[in-house]
Amino acid sequence: MAFERHVREECMIRAPEFLVRLRTHTVWEKSPVKLFCTVEGYPNPIVKWFKDNVIIDTASEPGRYRIDSKYGVHSLEIHRCEVRDTAQYTAVATNVHGQTSTNASVIVKRYRGEEEPYHSVLLPMQIPMLPEITYTKIDIMFLEKFEVTFGTEGETLTLVCKMMIVPDMANLQPEAQWYRDDVRIKESKWAEMKFGAGVARLTLTHLNKDDEGLYTLRMVTKGGSSQHCAYIFVRDAESTVVGAPGAPMDIKIHDANKDYVIVSWKPPNITSDSPVIGYFVDRCEVGTENWIQCNDSPIKICKYPVHGLFEGRSYMYRVRAVNNKGISRPSRVSEAVAALDPADLARLQVIHLERGKQIVICQDELEGDVKIPGPPTNVHASETSKIYVVLSWEPPAPRGRESLMYYIEKSMVGSGTWQRVNTQIPVRSPRYAVFDLAEGKQYLFRVLAVNKFGTSDASEPTAPIQVHELYGIPSAPGRILATRNTKTSVVVQWDPPKQAGGLIGYYIDSSIVGSKQWKTCNNKPVKHTRFVVHGLTTGQNFIFRVKAVNDVGFSEESQESSPINVHAALTSPSPPYGITLLACDGHSMTLGWKHPRYSGGSKITAYYIDQRDVADLHWKETNVPPIKERIYKVENLKEGSFYEFRIQAANLAGVGLPSDASDHFKCETWVMPEPGPSYDMTFCEVRNTSLVIQWRAPIYTGSSAVTGYHVDICEMGSEEWKTVNEKAVNHRYLKVSDLEEAKSYVFRVRAVNAAGVGKPSDVSEPVFVQARPETLEIASGVDEEGNIYMSYKCNEMTDISQFVWCKSYEEITEFDRVSIETEGDHSKIVFKNPDKEDLGTYSVSVTDTEGVSASYVLEDKELEKLMALSHEIRNPMIPLKTELSYEIFERGQVRFWLQAEKLSSAVNYRFIVNDQEVTNSETHKIKCDSSTGIIEMVMDKFTAHSEGTYTVQMQDGKAKNQSSLVLIGDVFKAALEEAEFQRKEYLRKQGPHFLEYLYWHVEEDCTVMLICKMANIKKETVFHWYKNEVELIPEKPANVMSGICKLPIPQFSKKDQGVFKATLTDDRGQDVSLFEVAGKVFDDIINGISRIAGSSASELKIQCTPEGIRLQCHMKYYTEEMRTVWSHKDTKISSSEKMRIGGTSEQVWLQICGPTEKDKGKYTIEILDDKQSYHRTVDLSGQAYDNAYAEFQKLKQAAFAENNRGKVIGGLPDVVTIMENKTLSLTCTVFGNPTPEVVWYKNEKKIELDNHFSMTLEQGKYANLTINGVTTEDSGKYGINVRNKCGGETVDVTVSVYKYGDDLPAPKLGQMPKPAPPPVQKPAAKQPQPPKTGRQTRK
């Protein structure tokens, strides 16, 4: 919007241009003449009138000239012309984009031919422009001004003034001068000043409390000056230490010399902080950033001599305040000051030579050859305080050419001894501050001068000097008086303190009455005893106090002022305006006018009218008695004459200034059939895009009654009028919408009757379309008593402000349907018996404000809503938190209860069951707790006869309510069953019982636990576990006294399905808990196992077997009831001969039998529970597949060899015992594919077959060794070796032969057969070698 407005303004910008120029007039003496011209331009030009190139000043001859301007038409009227008015008149139009002029001549003649010589006036051939006119005065009009402003230390603040300069000539520009507290501000790094194009700016780049004060802009011209001023307040920046004081200000440097200066400052205000206990002074040499603290301990006064400076160097200074909370921020640094003796400049002499040359010499060079200097003279105390004395003296004369230094000595009066003060550092300046003097003692001082040749004699001693304060802390200021100033400011005045030595200024504090919290009004001491306190809240009551301050400290606070309510001060009203002729009958005129823009803080009590004939210069009173209304009929006028009027308003403060004279009204009878002008246009409810205009009906109605009105609108800067309402409205108000925000408009009203449209009203004053900040609207509602109201609050009330309520924009004066209640800044209209007659538009306006107003349209639906709410309030019900409900206790008792939002102790209530009231008894216990709002009834026995309707009725004051509960049918049956169950439960719990019935839980090792909890247990209580009515005896007996029993079920599977039972028994009774592990319960347990096992599952691993490649996954526990899904390349695998799925208790596997190339790829196992799944994958491809396949082939071959090798499969004993001379037959069954070869061994040597040893092999599987006639020599270890190409094995047997009559030898255990590897392919001629040991081996 701002950009669009800027573009439009740029398009409209143009220099002034006269559309209608002045024309020459010749008139008779004592007759009026009026010069007209029309000018356009943007911004609107300012027109000045000149007579013979001298500006016309209407104030110099009141009533002689009248200058007027309306919408680009400018006029100059001379009421009674005289011969001396013969002259050339010029109108000069000026705006910021240029200027132009037009002129004409006026010739005044006398009657009857008695003409006086007059100046010959000829029209110039060329119109003179402004640079050629010699102006006696340049007018400066401030368009935008800077106001009272509040800033904070460290911020940047810019003060701006925009002005119109007439005439605006490049070679005659005014000078912009800025002042702070009447001291002119110089350009510096702290203040930047600019002026040009009618705008003056002052920028304070880094605010400091030094910048606080009254700022004045003076625009100085040769003919005088125009000025504007406003106060700027600067608050303390936030301290780096909480509670630390504000920074000192206004650092000044005094008595600068070669090696010391005196620094002074102003103390900060300490309204809300702890008292300042002292100050630290810092110095910094110019060109460095090294700040050095000058004093070791805080100094209590606001002045301090700084020593230790180096001659010729420049220094800056700053000060910090200290209190018991910490140290403040540093003050603004002082200006740089050089360490030089000002007297040295006086010793320089200039000798002028010929041709403009000159020589500068020092007086020391003219003093001759002086060696040892003379003594200093005039030693005296130039300044004394409580902590130091500043000594001053004059250098010796003559002093010599060498540089001088000084030593100071002191002596306590009466001691007779002298003590040197500056023993280590000599003084170069003829001044020195002496510290560490005893209070109450008198001292003598003397000074010695020293140069490189020696020391002078001592100077004459001073008179006795004693350290003392010249003045102490000032006394408290006297009587304090606060008076009104504006809506946000108060003037505070006080009497100066009686003891005001060294006074720096005053600090003012304010406090809201009753708050006991004081706030600082100014952050820099003010010197005068009058101060305007700004930034106060309108309508609030304040008190004030003042304290004085000097460099020693603060005075006590003054007495508090009387409370004052912040409102604008009472003054006489501003002039009325908009004087309009409303009717005329030839001998009287009816006038109307508008209320003064500013009432002066008091109600307007009267109006006074002055009138005059236009041919007369003297005004006369029209009315002696005061006029109360803003309409008046002026009688006894002369028909055909022209009259003008002016009006004054009066209030309690007196009569205000008169208004501008009205237009010239001719006294002639109005006979037109159309109505006269409407009048008294007012505007209200100005918002961002709309406003409401009101007016009064015309006094002169014409030939018939007024039937309606048209409203016309014109945007400022335009001359095009548009009608807002094409159809005339029959009421005297209209809401104008669809306006552009931040634009100005003017309006006029035309009345209509049967004869047509009448004369338009006077054009209104411009209205700026924009809502006021914090605009409030009317609110509707219902109060505690049920009354419907509309309320409005105004934050800008004054003492005389009044709320004016209207319906359809007509003031409400009859109160049979409504009443109006106003208290402070609130007002409301209350409806007595609201109905549809009260529908419509209600509005309110607040007098003596800047247009505060609002409206509210009361519609049918809104009224119905408000009336319903009113009925609820007037017929109140007890609000319920909870309707009537029931709950069943553990003994089977039933509690009926409800809860109200709030109940008093006087509430009445009753229970009704099936239309019969129930009273409090042992079987029906009824009570009410008013603190919680609960009403309840407990039925001891709830039986089949309890079915029906339950109702609670209650009354608390005027409020009533009831709540019912219907318990019949299925609802009642459910309640009755629950009550009986609770009763049985109560009886069950009288003996040992299960607190929690059996439930299951899966442990981390996947063991399933059946758990139950018990209560009311004793040592004699017996506990048993059962499954399918068969008692279970767990490894760990149940510990009944622990209150919990667990039955572990390891490696849970389908076999564990069934009905589990736990029993508790003792002499008090028995309790049973049944738990069926089947169906959903079984599935839930499996899901629980899957959850733990799945989360513990390892990654898939590749394991090769003789049958193929096996993919296996280890986990805490696996059972086939767990849901697992195998997939290959995202395709689900079902168990088959090719792909066999299986597992053990610790792993699950997938066997790929006879793997081929098709079996390569990614394999995934998915373990599922009821909520999520667990995935493990392996990629069986590439090198992983090749390695696995090779291992599979190797294992396959090894398995084949193992299955087909030669072996003994039975029939051969481990030990044989036989008596001598018997025949021994060793027989066994062998196997091998192909048929194996059989070789028998004795003691690891092959047996040679003969008659003693014989061997047979029948059918390729029955092997026999026969020993005929055994002897003791046949005892030993015999072995059979069975072998084919796939391998073989050897089996041993021990043979023991004993003689007849001997004891049987002890048997010796034989060895299990050991498989032997396949034989190495050797030449067929060679026989296999027997094994080296008798133990069976597999090779």
Side-chain angles (χ1 to χ4, degrees), residues 1103-1116:
Q1103 180 70 36
C1104 295
T1105 67
E1107 292 80 13
I1109 299 175
R1110 176 176 293 184
L1111 306 180
Q1112 58 188 25
C1113 174
H1114 291 270
M1115 58 188 69
K1116 289 185 176 180

CSV table of all heavy atoms in Angstrom, one decimal, residues 1103-1116:
chain,number,residue,atom,x,y,z
A,1103,GLN,N,26.8,-73.6,6.0
A,1103,GLN,CA,27.4,-74.8,6.5
A,1103,GLN,C,27.2,-75.9,5.4
A,1103,GLN,O,26.1,-76.1,5.0
A,1103,GLN,CB,26.8,-75.2,7.8
A,1103,GLN,CG,27.3,-76.5,8.4
A,1103,GLN,CD,28.8,-76.3,8.9
A,1103,GLN,OE1,29.1,-75.2,9.4
A,1103,GLN,NE2,29.6,-77.3,8.8
A,1104,CYS,N,28.3,-76.6,5.0
A,1104,CYS,CA,28.2,-77.6,4.0
A,1104,CYS,C,28.0,-79.0,4.6
A,1104,CYS,O,28.6,-79.3,5.7
A,1104,CYS,CB,29.4,-77.6,3.0
A,1104,CYS,SG,29.5,-76.0,2.1
A,1105,THR,N,27.2,-79.9,3.9
A,1105,THR,CA,27.0,-81.2,4.4
A,1105,THR,C,27.2,-82.1,3.1
A,1105,THR,O,27.2,-81.7,2.0
A,1105,THR,CB,25.6,-81.4,5.0
A,1105,THR,OG1,24.6,-81.2,3.9
A,1105,THR,CG2,25.4,-80.4,6.1
A,1106,PRO,N,27.2,-83.4,3.3
A,1106,PRO,CA,27.3,-84.3,2.2
A,1106,PRO,C,26.1,-84.3,1.3
A,1106,PRO,O,26.2,-84.6,0.1
A,1106,PRO,CB,27.5,-85.7,2.8
A,1106,PRO,CG,28.1,-85.5,4.1
A,1106,PRO,CD,27.5,-84.2,4.6
A,1107,GLU,N,25.0,-83.9,1.8
A,1107,GLU,CA,23.7,-83.8,1.0
A,1107,GLU,C,23.7,-82.5,0.2
A,1107,GLU,O,22.9,-82.4,-0.8
A,1107,GLU,CB,22.5,-83.9,1.9
A,1107,GLU,CG,22.3,-85.2,2.6
A,1107,GLU,CD,23.2,-85.4,3.8
A,1107,GLU,OE1,23.7,-84.4,4.3
A,1107,GLU,OE2,23.3,-86.5,4.3
A,1108,GLY,N,24.3,-81.4,0.7
A,1108,GLY,CA,24.3,-80.1,0.0
A,1108,GLY,C,24.8,-79.0,0.8
A,1108,GLY,O,25.7,-79.2,1.6
A,1109,ILE,N,24.2,-77.8,0.6
A,1109,ILE,CA,24.6,-76.6,1.4
A,1109,ILE,C,23.5,-76.2,2.4
A,1109,ILE,O,22.3,-76.1,2.0
A,1109,ILE,CB,24.8,-75.4,0.4
A,1109,ILE,CG1,25.9,-75.8,-0.6
A,1109,ILE,CG2,25.2,-74.1,1.2
A,1109,ILE,CD1,26.1,-74.7,-1.7
A,1110,ARG,N,23.9,-76.0,3.6
A,1110,ARG,CA,22.9,-75.7,4.7
A,1110,ARG,C,23.1,-74.3,5.1
A,1110,ARG,O,24.2,-73.9,5.4
A,1110,ARG,CB,23.1,-76.7,5.8
A,1110,ARG,CG,22.2,-76.3,7.0
A,1110,ARG,CD,22.3,-77.3,8.1
A,1110,ARG,NE,21.8,-78.6,7.7
A,1110,ARG,CZ,21.7,-79.7,8.5
A,1110,ARG,NH1,22.1,-79.6,9.8
A,1110,ARG,NH2,21.2,-80.8,8.1
A,1111,LEU,N,22.0,-73.5,5.1
A,1111,LEU,CA,22.0,-72.1,5.7
A,1111,LEU,C,21.4,-72.2,7.1
A,1111,LEU,O,20.2,-72.6,7.2
A,1111,LEU,CB,21.2,-71.2,4.8
A,1111,LEU,CG,21.6,-71.1,3.3
A,1111,LEU,CD1,20.7,-70.2,2.5
A,1111,LEU,CD2,23.1,-70.7,3.1
A,1112,GLN,N,22.1,-71.7,8.1
A,1112,GLN,CA,21.6,-71.9,9.4
A,1112,GLN,C,21.7,-70.6,10.2
A,1112,GLN,O,22.6,-69.8,10.0
A,1112,GLN,CB,22.3,-73.0,10.1
A,1112,GLN,CG,23.8,-72.8,10.2
A,1112,GLN,CD,24.5,-74.1,10.8
A,1112,GLN,OE1,24.0,-75.2,10.7
A,1112,GLN,NE2,25.7,-73.9,11.3
A,1113,CYS,N,20.8,-70.4,11.2
A,1113,CYS,CA,20.7,-69.2,12.0
A,1113,CYS,C,20.5,-69.7,13.4
A,1113,CYS,O,19.6,-70.4,13.8
A,1113,CYS,CB,19.5,-68.4,11.6
A,1113,CYS,SG,19.2,-66.9,12.6
A,1114,HIS,N,21.4,-69.2,14.3
A,1114,HIS,CA,21.4,-69.6,15.7
A,1114,HIS,C,20.6,-68.5,16.5
A,1114,HIS,O,20.6,-67.3,16.2
A,1114,HIS,CB,22.8,-69.6,16.3
A,1114,HIS,CG,23.6,-70.8,15.7
A,1114,HIS,ND1,23.7,-72.0,16.3
A,1114,HIS,CD2,24.4,-70.8,14.6
A,1114,HIS,CE1,24.5,-72.8,15.6
A,1114,HIS,NE2,25.0,-72.1,14.6
A,1115,MET,N,19.9,-69.0,17.5
A,1115,MET,CA,19.1,-68.1,18.3
A,1115,MET,C,18.9,-68.8,19.7
A,1115,MET,O,19.3,-69.9,19.9
A,1115,MET,CB,17.7,-67.8,17.7
A,1115,MET,CG,16.9,-69.1,17.4
A,1115,MET,SD,15.4,-68.8,16.4
A,1115,MET,CE,16.1,-68.3,14.9
A,1116,LYS,N,18.3,-68.0,20.6
A,1116,LYS,CA,18.2,-68.5,22.0
A,1116,LYS,C,17.3,-69.7,22.1
A,1116,LYS,O,17.6,-70.6,22.9
A,1116,LYS,CB,17.6,-67.4,22.9
A,1116,LYS,CG,18.6,-66.3,23.2
A,1116,LYS,CD,18.0,-65.3,24.1
A,1116,LYS,CE,19.0,-64.2,24.5
A,1116,LYS,NZ,18.5,-63.2,25.5
